C-alpha cells in the first residue's frame, strides 16, 4: 500500500442529470447476460417458467401495437405477456436480477434499468416531475429490488410507475422475500399489489423459488484479516495499487453522509478493489442505510474487498437485522460476504483458495 492508493473519503463526485440517466443500465456484472446464459435449477421449475415468461414479455414490448396508449396496453401481444408489467418475487440469489437484465438487453431502447433505491435517488436529484418527463419516452423501465420497507419511498415509486404506465411505458420489477418468508411465497407480491393499487391488475406476478447461489455450501461470512497481515495480503490481492481504494471504515461511513447516494456509482468509478481497515458494527440506522447503497454499488461492479475488523455478518446490529429494514440488510450482508470471500481468495492465492473458502 505504499504506492499512494485512492481514498474514497477524498472523493466528492459531481454528476449531471444526463450522466445520472446514462447510468441507468445493468452493471458490469450483468452487462452481457441473456436469457440463454441464465441456467435454471432443474429442481426449481419456477425458474424456467420465469425465463420463458420474460421471453414472452420482451416479445410483447418489441411487437408493434397501434392506437396510442390503449393500443400499447391492450393491443396485440403474446397471450403469456398480456399485462402491462411483470413482477418477479423470490428470495436472495435465485437469478431475478440476471433475468431482469436479460429482459433489458432483449428490448431495444430507449430503456432504463436501475434498483428501486437508484430511482428514488434519481427523483431526489432531479425532482419527481423531471424524472417522469425523462422516463416517459422510454419503451421499458426495469426496477430491480423493489422495496416495501419505507412507506414514503414505496408510495413515491407507486406514483412514478402509474404515471409511466399511463404514458405507455412497459414496466418490470423484482423484489426479495425474506428468508423466513420463503415458504409463504406471497408476502412481497401482496404488499406490492396493495401499494400500486391502480397498476395491480396489470402486473403478472411470477414466483421464483431456489437457494441463494452465492452461499451454496459456503460459510456465511469469512473471517477478516488480522491487522498485521493486511499490507502483505493487499499487495498479493491487488498488484495495481493505483486502482485500489484504501479507507478507515469509520471515516468512510461518515463520508457517505456528505455524498448523495445517487453519486455512489461515480464514487467508486475506475476501481478494481476495496480495502477497509477496522470494520465495525454500524449502530445508527441512517448510516447503515447509506452503507447498504454503497454495498449495492460495489456489488454491481464486482469489486473484491479485503478488510480487518468484524466480519460482514456483524456489520449491522441484531436489532437492524430483525427490524423493519431487514430485507436491505440481509441483501447487503449476502453481497458483502461474496465480495469479501473473493478478496480473501485473491489475497491467499491459488494454493490457499480452499482455506479462503
Amino acid at each position: 500500500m505504499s504506492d499512494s492508493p485512492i481514498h474514497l473519503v477524498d472523493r466528492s463526485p459531481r454528476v449531471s442529470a444526463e450522466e445520472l440517466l446514462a447510468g441507468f443500465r445493468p452493471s458490469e456484472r450483468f452487462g452481457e447476460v441473456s436469457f440463454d446464459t441464465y441456467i435454471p435449477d432443474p429442481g426449481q421449475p419456477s425458474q424456467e417458467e420465469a425465463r420463458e415468461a420474460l421471453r414472452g414479455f420482451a416479445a410483447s414490448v418489441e411487437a408493434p401495437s397501434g392506437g396510442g396508449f390503449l393500443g400499447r396496453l391492450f393491443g396485440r401481444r403474446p397471450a403469456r405477456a398480456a399485462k402491462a408489467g411483470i413482477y418477479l418475487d423470490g428470495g436472495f440469489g435465485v437469478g431475478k436480477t440476471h433475468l431482469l437484465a436479460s429482459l433489458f438487453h432483449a428490448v431495444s431502447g430507449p430503456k432504463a434499468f436501475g434498483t428501486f433505491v437508484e430511482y428514488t435517488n434519481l427523483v431526489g436529484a432531479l425532482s419527481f416531475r423531471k424524472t417522469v418527463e425523462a422516463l416517459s419516452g422510454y419503451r421499458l423501465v426495469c426496477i430491480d429490488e423493489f422495496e416495501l420497507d419505507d412507506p414514503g419511498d414505496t408510495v413515491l415509486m407507486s406514483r412514478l410507475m402509474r404515471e409511466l404506465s399511463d404514458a405507455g411505458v412497459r414496466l418490470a420489477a423484482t423484489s426479495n422475500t425474506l428468508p423466513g418468508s420463503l415458504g409463504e411465497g406471497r408476502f412481497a407480491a401482496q404488499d406490492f399489489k396493495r401499494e400500486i393499487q391502480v397498476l395491480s391488475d396489470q402486473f403478472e406476478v411470477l414466483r421464483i423459488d431456489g437457494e441463494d447461489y452465492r452461499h451454496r455450501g459456503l460459510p456465511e461470512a469469512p473471517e477478516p484479516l488480522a491487522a498485521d497481515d493486511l499490507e502483505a495480503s493487499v499487495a498479493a490481492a491487488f498488484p495495481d495499487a493505483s486502482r485500489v481504494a484504501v479507507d478507515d471504515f469509520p471515516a468512510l461511513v461518515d463520508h457517505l453522509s456528505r455524498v448523495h447516494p445517487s453519486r455512489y456509482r461515480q464514487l467508486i468509478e475506475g476501481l478494481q478493489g476495496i480495502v477497509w481497515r477496522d470494520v465495525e458494527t454500524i449502530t445508527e440506522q441512517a448510516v447503515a442505510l447509506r452503507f447498504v447503497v454503497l454495498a449495492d454499488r460495489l456489488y454491481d461492479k464486482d469489486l473484491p474487498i479485503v478488510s480487518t475488523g468484524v466480519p460482514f455478518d456483524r456489520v449491522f446490529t441484531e436489532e437492524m437485522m430483525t427490524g423493519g429494514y431487514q430485507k436491505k440488510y440481509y441483501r447487503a450482508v449476502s453481497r458483502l460476504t461474496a465480495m469479501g470471500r473473493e478478496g480473501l481468495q485473491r489475497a491467499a492465492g491459488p494454493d490457499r483458495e480452499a482455506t479462503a473458502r
Side-chain angles (χ1 to χ4, degrees):
M1 293 183 288
S2 59
D3 297 331
S4 300
I6 297 165
H7 303 291
L8 294 182
V9 295
D10 295 334
R11 289 183 163 190
S12 298
R14 296 291 181 265
V15 186
S16 68
E18 292 74 17
E19 290 172 321
L20 284 177
L21 289 168
F24 275 76
R25 61 183 184 276
S27 66
E28 291 89 338
R29 180 182 290 271
F30 299 103
E32 297 182 359
V33 299
S34 68
F35 293 127
D36 291 336
T37 63
Y38 178 77
I39 308 300
D41 183 344
Q44 303 289 347
S46 61
Q47 295 185 11
E48 173 63 22
E49 292 169 3
R51 179 170 68 169
E52 293 310 304
L54 283 171
R55 285 188 194 272
F57 188 79
S60 77
V61 177
E62 289 292 279
S65 56
F69 167 62
L70 292 178
R72 289 192 294 271
L73 184 58
F74 300 109
R76 298 183 298 276
R77 294 178 183 156
R80 174 67 179 171
K83 298 194 175 183
I86 197 163
Y87 170 72
L88 304 180
D89 175 38
F92 301 96
V94 297
K96 299 186 307 298
T97 299
H98 185 137
L99 287 172
L100 191 67
S102 299
L103 171 65
F104 176 89
H105 293 310
V107 172
S108 56
K111 54 190 175 179
F113 181 105
T115 65
F116 177 94
V117 172
E118 286 181 300
Y119 284 104
T120 59
N121 288 336
L122 181 68
V123 172
L126 298 186
S127 80
F128 180 84
R129 185 48 48 197
K130 289 184 178 179
T131 299
V132 171
E133 292 173 357
L135 298 178
S136 288
Y138 285 31
R139 304 184 71 190
L140 174 70
V141 167
C142 298
I143 305 168
D144 200 19
E145 298 161 0
F146 197 100
E147 300 179 353
L148 299 162
D149 41 25
D150 187 312
D153 282 348
T154 304
V155 171
L156 172 73
M157 283 300 295
S158 300
R159 181 184 168 200
L160 176 63
M161 294 170 74
R162 285 196 298 271
E163 296 213 16
L164 293 179
S165 181
D166 288 345
V169 181
R170 302 296 294 280
L171 305 168
T174 74
S175 186
N176 288 323
T177 301
L178 292 172
S181 302
L182 288 177
E184 301 169 13
R186 302 300 294 172
F187 170 79
Q190 292 301 327
D191 283 357
F192 178 80
K193 285 188 172 184
R194 284 196 295 270
E195 291 299 334
I196 56 170
Q197 299 170 11
V198 176
L199 290 176
S200 62
D201 60 353
Q202 299 179 20
F203 272 76
E204 180 178 7
V205 179
L206 302 175
R207 171 71 189 176
I208 305 181
D209 300 300
E211 181 185 3
D212 186 340
Y213 74 90
R214 291 185 292 270
H215 292 165
R216 291 171 187 164
L218 298 175
E220 282 302 307
E223 285 297 318
L225 293 166
D228 291 344
D229 296 333
L230 182 63
E231 185 167 354
S233 296
V234 170
F238 308 118
D240 184 2
S242 66
R243 302 189 68 182
V244 177
V246 181
D247 288 272
D248 295 325
F249 189 81
L252 172 64
V253 294
D254 179 65
H255 180 65
L256 295 180
S257 67
R258 295 185 287 275
V259 181
H260 193 276
S262 66
R263 300 169 183 166
Y264 286 3
R265 190 184 300 275
Q266 287 73 28
L267 182 69
I268 61 173
E269 189 68 33
L271 298 181
Q272 292 184 343
I274 296 291
V275 179
W276 289 333
R277 299 188 186 96
D278 302 322
V279 173
E280 60 185 16
T281 302
I282 299 172
T283 58
E284 296 182 29
Q285 190 95 268
V287 176
L289 292 174
R290 286 193 295 267
F291 180 66
V292 166
V293 178
L294 177 64
D296 287 339
R297 300 293 77 76
L298 292 172
Y299 184 77
D300 285 346
K301 293 184 71 65
D302 200 14
L303 293 180
I305 300 174
V306 173
S307 64
T308 66
V310 303
F312 289 131
D313 57 6
R314 288 168 47 197
V315 76
F316 305 114
T317 66
E318 183 177 349
E319 182 180 7
M320 292 175 185
M321 296 298 292
T322 57
Y325 293 104
Q326 57 182 294
K327 180 174 63 177
K328 295 176 187 282
Y329 298 134
Y330 270 100
R331 184 182 73 237
V333 169
S334 176
R335 292 178 168 185
L336 289 166
T337 295
M339 292 183 287
R341 185 178 297 114
E342 173 65 20
L344 286 182
Q345 289 174 3
R346 290 190 178 206
D351 293 339
R352 293 174 53 197
E353 183 172 331
T355 302
R357 286 179 178 270

